[in-house]
Amino acid sequence: MTDLNTLKYTEEHEWLSISDGVATIGITDYAADKLGDVVFVELPAVGTELTAGTVVGEIESTKSVGELYAPLVGTVTEINDAVVDDPSLVNAEPFEGGWLIKISITDGAADALLDRDAYVALTEG
């Protein structure tokens, strides 16, 4: 089980686990719940250069379509093919098997992301 207090968060309801210059990114359980049953996930290709704040993917559910934003500048090093094949993993395991992409971070902006307390305050407020 992932320790949610060690993750970083964005105001766009994404979580990041950062280790050795690589960020694993997914959407939070809050976002997955608001989307409803996820039925389609479109992710950027490995090697894609990301600019922070830009749309890099799409998550479709039975209720709506959500966009995946790049939280940091970096390069996509891996995508979660399991989620592409079975989008319901985003709902079932948002912090484990439902991760979306991994990026090699090329800037140090991770310090500007939210911690768990700030994210909880955002979603409860």
Side-chain angles (χ1 to χ4, degrees):
M1 178 70 187
T2 301
D3 180 353
L4 303 183
N5 292 313
T6 64
L7 302 176
K8 294 290 191 177
Y9 300 86
T10 71
E11 292 183 3
E12 289 78 28
H13 307 291
E14 296 163 348
W15 60 263
L16 292 85
S17 173
I18 302 170
S19 178
D20 297 325
V22 175
T24 301
I25 303 167
I27 65 168
T28 65
D29 53 347
Y30 176 87
D33 182 57
K34 293 296 181 194
L35 277 171
D37 294 332
V38 176
V39 296
F40 176 77
V41 176
E42 180 180 81
L43 301 173
V46 171
T48 301
E49 298 287 328
L50 305 180
T51 301
T54 60
V55 174
V56 297
E58 190 172 89
I59 302 170
E60 294 183 20
S61 72
T62 55
K63 290 184 186 178
S64 66
V65 176
E67 295 176 325
L68 177 65
Y69 293 89
L72 301 170
V73 174
T75 304
V76 177
T77 59
E78 187 177 347
I79 65 167
N80 188 348
D81 289 321
V83 165
V84 174
D85 294 339
D86 182 6
S88 69
L89 286 171
V90 172
N91 297 105
E93 304 176 30
F95 296 106
E96 298 288 338
W99 64 271
L100 301 172
I101 61 175
K102 293 186 180 187
I103 66 171
S104 175
I105 303 168
T106 57
D107 78 358
D111 293 340
L113 299 171
L114 304 173
D115 63 13
R116 182 70 183 170
D117 290 340
Y119 183 72
V120 168
L122 173 74
T123 57
E124 291 181 353

